[in-house]
Amino acid sequence: MIPTLVVALLAATSCSGGGSSSGPKAPAAVFPATVTHEYGQTVVEEAPERVVSLGYTDQDAILALGTVPVAIREFTGNRPSATWPWAADKLKGEQPQVLPAGDVTPDAVAALEPDLIVAITADLTREQYDAFSKIAPTVAAPAGTTDGRVSWADATKLTGAALGLPAAADRIVSDVEEKFVEVEENHPELAGATVAMAVPNPADPASVKAWSSNDLRGQFLKELGVQVPAQVDRLAGNGSFATMPSDQLPTLDDADALMVAGTPAEQAAFAALPGYGQLKLVQESKVVTLDDEQSAALAFGSVLSLPAVADEVAGRLARAVGR
């Protein structure tokens, strides 16, 4: 369930599908709006009425700002309207079309007759951006983005700019940041703790992927006052994760706790790896296994998903760390 604080702030900033305010305290949308991103600037002349969420997780920021997209791209979980419970109530009963996780052609998007395409987390090439921008104003990732890693705060602010609601976006970001501070203060055991977060490697069942500080999951841990083990970051280099064969599993014992994501089947495969049962963290019950929604929430790394699970995940990690 989304925390009360987040529900309140979203209600205060909710608006119509075109981005106009619906309450006396909601800031009015301002157009034309100019958005700066990695491929230059996009000008949105007037309040959009048909927004396509082309990025894999862009729908959450769009929904947080009160707009229901006409189409949402699938990312994970095959949920109705490609929307998880933390954002479902923001659909306002509407059922956006679901775009595939694979290739989405310009023709498919053009058929939706959009007047704004939000592609912040779509990891577009310049060629793709040019093709989509011929259909409607298109917003790509922030300049300097690496491997599609866009922070929840940057994604929210960029979306707010495109919807003519930069002040509303800033307020949402500020309130969620305050939420993370509150969670961190409620769990002082986590201060300076190290947590390794891993999932089975789909490309090699005999290994695991341990997420680095560069990944959105690692950034979420930082919001809680937690650090990724230095050895994981060294193995990952500039990448989002380190690939560890089963004989490297003891490296995970450098952490104060282990967090395991993925589906129940994936977690069972992880636990079946040679050496897993011999890990000190396993023997001392310092392993936190995330459920489907928590795993997806951290993978989304969005303005709606992270606050929805922060309290529960932080509490479980604090108990596992046991300081």
Side-chain angles (χ1 to χ4, degrees):
M1 178 176 291
I2 299 176
T4 302
L5 178 149
V6 179
V7 173
L9 72 92
L10 296 181
T13 56
S14 65
C15 57
S16 71
S20 60
S21 63
S22 60
K25 295 183 180 180
V30 178
F31 293 96
T34 301
V35 187
T36 301
H37 49 79
E38 63 180 337
Y39 296 129
Q41 289 189 329
T42 294
V43 178
V44 184
E45 296 289 351
E46 56 188 8
E49 296 181 352
R50 296 183 60 81
V51 178
V52 168
S53 180
L54 187 60
Y56 292 102
T57 63
D58 289 342
Q59 70 267 34
D60 279 6
I62 298 170
L63 290 167
L65 286 156
T67 291
V68 180
V70 295
I72 295 174
R73 192 169 188 177
E74 179 59 60
F75 175 48
T76 184
N78 295 314
R79 296 289 171 138
S81 298
T83 303
W84 281 79
W86 60 74
D89 63 328
K90 309 309 294 180
L91 292 175
K92 305 173 187 176
E94 298 183 32
Q95 296 179 319
Q97 181 174 325
V98 176
L99 299 171
D103 290 340
V104 177
T105 66
D107 286 345
V109 173
L112 296 166
E113 300 181 343
D115 46 20
L116 176 64
I117 300 170
V118 180
I120 296 169
T121 61
D123 200 18
L124 294 183
T125 64
R126 179 74 207 213
E127 182 180 12
Q128 290 172 321
Y129 170 78
D130 289 343
F132 286 116
S133 62
K134 291 177 181 176
I135 300 168
T138 300
V139 180
T145 298
T146 304
D147 296 333
R149 299 191 295 256
V150 183
S151 74
W152 65 268
D154 286 345
T156 303
K157 290 182 178 182
L158 209 56
T159 302
L163 295 175
L165 293 167
D170 286 345
R171 187 166 68 189
I172 290 176
V173 168
S174 177
D175 285 346
V176 174
E177 287 174 341
E178 288 181 10
K179 173 63 182 178
F180 285 133
V181 170
E182 174 190 313
V183 173
E184 186 176 356
E185 290 176 345
N186 287 341
H187 300 286
E189 310 94 323
L190 296 179
T194 56
V195 173
M197 181 177 179
V199 294
N201 185 359
D204 177 11
S207 68
V208 299
K209 294 164 62 174
W211 303 106
S212 75
S213 298
N214 295 324
D215 186 76
L216 297 180
R217 301 163 184 81
Q219 293 172 25
F220 169 70
L221 291 177
K222 185 178 180 180
E223 300 273 16
L224 303 181
V226 172
Q227 301 174 4
V228 170
Q231 181 62 9
V232 171
D233 277 344
R234 281 194 290 269
L235 291 172
N238 293 324
S240 294
F241 59 88
T243 300
M244 292 183 173
S246 57
D247 61 3
Q248 287 187 3
L249 285 183
T251 301
L252 300 176
D253 272 337
D254 291 341
D256 294 311
L258 171 63
M259 188 158 60
V260 181
T263 65
E266 289 172 332
Q267 293 178 5
F270 189 178
L273 286 174
Y276 178 85
Q278 284 68 55
L279 290 176
K280 178 186 66 175
L281 294 176
V282 174
Q283 295 175 353
E284 296 180 355
S285 299
K286 293 183 177 296
V287 179
V288 172
T289 55
L290 303 181
D291 61 28
D292 283 348
E293 184 170 343
Q294 291 166 344
S295 294
L298 299 196
F300 261 73
S302 77
V303 68
L304 293 182
S305 72
L306 296 181
V309 301
D311 285 302
E312 176 66 18
V313 171
R316 295 181 66 195
L317 283 176
R319 291 190 290 273
V321 167
R323 292 187 172 189

